[in-house]
Amino acid sequence: MLAGKHILLIIGGGIAAYKALELIRRLQDQGASVAPVLTKAGEEFVTPLSVSALAGAPVHRDLFDLTAEAEMGHIQLSRSADLVVVAPATADLVAKMAQGLANDLASTLLLATDTPVLVAPAMNVRMWEHAATQRNIATLKADGIRFVGPNAGGMACGEFGPGRMAEPDEIVAAVAAEFRDGPLSGKRIVVTSGPTHEPIDPVRYIANSSSGAQGTAVARALRDLGAEVVFVTGPATVRPPEGVEVVPVESALEMQAAVEAALPADAAVFAAAVADWRVASASDRKLKKSKDGLPTLEFAENPDILKTVSHMTANRPGLVVGFAAETNDVVDNATAKRLRKGCDWIVANDVSPATGIMGGSENAVILITDTGAEEWPRMAKQEVAGKLANRIAAALDS
Ligand code: CTP
């Protein structure tokens, strides 16, 4: 997967540095060579000897190292790689990158490089959530720096939340995505996925049982063909794929805003199960039981995101694909839906309970285009996604 690729791995000073040792192995397993750089703080967590022994290469540690400078200057070191990976990236390292500081070897390499940079942050939850860190992350994203993680979970410091470094396998998948070359290389595709949550009050919401499995599979398949994927996802139970830009949202209104912000794009695939209605005026306080009887919820209609994007005059993606979940007269209903929504294709499926498709691992779909209905055999959701991604690649190529 990574044969012949040369990775410059910068290991920052965090407890997650031990995972960087595993990461070196996994990258090598995929055929990559790793040139390691260890920050001063990183040396407090892993030794230069273990990093160097695993990498099978000298570990770079000092900005003013005469021997290293004579062999390979730091400017050349920063540019000889196909990709620079920072794992773990501490809050301090992220802040230095955002400010353009260059006061040690790692930050100097990051400022001097003209190769793509992938960052795997790892820090305490509060540090991750701090406005300063979030500002730095936004700055780096705007500069084109890619991120993988952090994940949420229990942390070494005893706190719980986002801040844990992505696992080595996830980082390897994100590295692989950087090198993916395929028929969708250079194409930007927006994918919506998962359910939406429509708030009733701060602790209650209306939702549906979409797992996000099919949307996630589509995003992964498009990524595998080389597309740059913006994955706008409601609160799904399936984890989003690595190597795509994940935009988490809760409600239909948030999903619509995120989709519009992600345009222009070459194509958009709407696999989300968007709630048709929201509570007209969600309470900002928790609703209490009352002697006056049951609360009455008034509903407002949510925007139809697929229809809105399909009817855009400026910024309409070249190919707009919707999904249709039907329980009867699938072809007729989906054909009518394609015209009503104004999209190019509808991927229709029969979700009546007897099919076992809803919540299952397989899907049997009918692709509705302007030339008619094409029935695909029943197959795994990932295979449906792969077939659809290939069709999208063919359509964008023609
Ligand atoms: N969709 C959307 N925004 C909505 C509702 C649906 O973008 N507010 C998209 C879905 O992501 C899917 C397609 O529209 O791609 C079809 O959704 P579906 O629920 O089947 O269509 P509805 O318009 O709700 O039609 P009906 O419920 O009457 O079958």
Side-chain angles (χ1 to χ4, degrees), residues 270-272 274-276 303-306 322-326 337 340-341:
F270 293 85
V274 185
D276 288 322
D304 188 321
I305 309 168
L306 172 61
F323 273 71
E326 308 289 346
K337 195 170 277 180
R340 200 167 62 239
K341 302 256 189 182

Side-chain angles (χ1 to χ4, degrees), residues 24-60:
I24 293 173
R25 266 281 155 78
R26 300 286 174 93
L27 289 168
Q28 290 170 333
D29 288 348
Q30 300 297 328
S33 64
V34 180
V37 174
L38 194 55
T39 65
K40 277 273 164 296
E43 285 182 30
E44 301 292 330
F45 295 90
V46 288
T47 69
L49 186 61
S50 46
V51 173
S52 170
L54 276 169
V59 56
H60 303 275

